[in-house]
């Protein structure tokens, strides 16, 4: 049977890039993007869908003969702190609705992203192991922790083929993130290109795990293409590419913009960032399904600058 993908939360930072990559792989007609709002400039097949509206979700999946769902809808860490009730409802009820589609035999496979936010201040900070203390202190992290446990439970109890990775901070040039604690690492490029001083909401030595968006999309496609027998972890896999602080990123940017200036004004997001790992051990993903990143810090910075310059010129 041919693959037919539904993406929930297509207008977010990951969704926009995933949908075009999936369309290249599966064919334009085999990818249906959805979100709660529409974007008149969106390229691709699109429908408005609220994943909390279970009958509408079920109806769409049946009408379109969907075989796999990429469930990306979530409020990111900083926004979730301002809207606790909705963040929890979206992260847990939305996931339940999708897991139940697979339990009832309507779809074959699910991708649901977790995050480094699942870890907390009691987790070992450096080279955080796959299996370790999970005591998140953010609303977003608590939602991801619950989601991971539900994925594992649905797999063990009902045989649901759900696959997941813990995304680090994601940096891409095609779309802007919104509401995350790692977003500074995208915003900083726009200031550097405009020749403006950058006000950073984290302090200079806050090391966090980060990844180029292209690598994140490759990981997502790769885990979904694996034979199910290779997916040994059904809560979520650690994946990693690099780790840097605002200061190391600014130093790398100065190789391209020698006059670039940065000022540090930590706000409430500092506490969130300080509760997360600084680097991640992803040996299990490398062993089980061959995960390997393509971008390190210097390649990421070079690639971001080249592409954002082209965008500005266009
Ligand atoms: C955020 O900062 O909230 C996200 C994440 C690490 O999941 N980028």
């Amino acid at each position: 049977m041919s693959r037919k993908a539904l993406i929930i939360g297509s207008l977010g930072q990951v969704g926009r890039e995933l949908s075009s990559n999936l369309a290249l792989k599966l064919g334009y007609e085999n990818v249906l993007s959805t979100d709660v709002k529409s974007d008149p400039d969106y390229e691709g097949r699109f429908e408005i869908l609220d994943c909390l509206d279970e009958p509408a979700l079920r109806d769409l999946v049946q009408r379109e003969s969907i075989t796999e769902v990429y469930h990306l809808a979530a409020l990111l860490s900083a926004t979730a702190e301002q809207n606790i009730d909705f963040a929890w409802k979206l992260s847990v009820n939305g996931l339940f609705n999708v897991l139940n589609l697979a339990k009832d035999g309507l779809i074959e496979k699910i991708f649901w992203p977790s995050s480094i936010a699942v870890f907390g201040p009691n987790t070992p900070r450096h080279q955080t192991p796959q299996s370790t203390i999970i005591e998140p202190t953010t609303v977003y992290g608590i939602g991801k922790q619950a989601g991971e446990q539900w994925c594992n439970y649905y797999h063990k109890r009902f045989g649901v083929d759900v696959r997941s990775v813990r995304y680090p901070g994601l940096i891409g040039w095609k779309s802007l993130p919104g509401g995350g604690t790692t977003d500074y690492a995208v915003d900083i490029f726009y200031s550097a290109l405009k020749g403006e001083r950058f006000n950073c909401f984290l302090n200079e030595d806050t090391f966090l795990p980060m990844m180029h968006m292209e690598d994140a999309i490759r990981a997502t496609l790769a885990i979904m293409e694996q034979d199910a027998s290779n997916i040994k972890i059904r809560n979520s896999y650690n994946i990693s590419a690099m780790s840097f602080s605002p200061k190391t990123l600014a130093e790398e940017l100065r190789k391209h913009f020698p006059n670039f200036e940065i000022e540090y004004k930590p706000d409430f997001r500092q506490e969130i960032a300080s509760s997360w790992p600084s680097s991640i051990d992803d040996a299990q993903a490398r062993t089980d399904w061959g995960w390997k990143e393509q971008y390190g810090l210097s390649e990421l910075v070079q690639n971001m600058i080249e592409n954002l310059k082209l965008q500005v010129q266009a």
Side-chain angles (χ1 to χ4, degrees), residues 76-78 115-117 140 167-170 179-183 276:
L76 291 186
S77 54
S115 157
I116 54 160
Y140 178 60
Y167 284 142
L170 301 180
T181 301
T182 58
D183 293 5
W276 290 350

Side-chain angles (χ1 to χ4, degrees), residues 13 75-79 114-118 138 140 144 166-170 177-184 201 208-210 272 276:
Q13 190 198 10
L75 295 190
L76 291 186
S77 54
T79 312
S114 184
S115 157
I116 54 160
V118 79
T138 63
Y140 178 60
K144 290 299 185 192
R166 292 171 176 149
Y167 284 142
L170 301 180
T181 301
T182 58
D183 293 5
Y184 89 86
F201 57 73
L208 288 170
M210 300 280 187
I272 300 179
W276 290 350

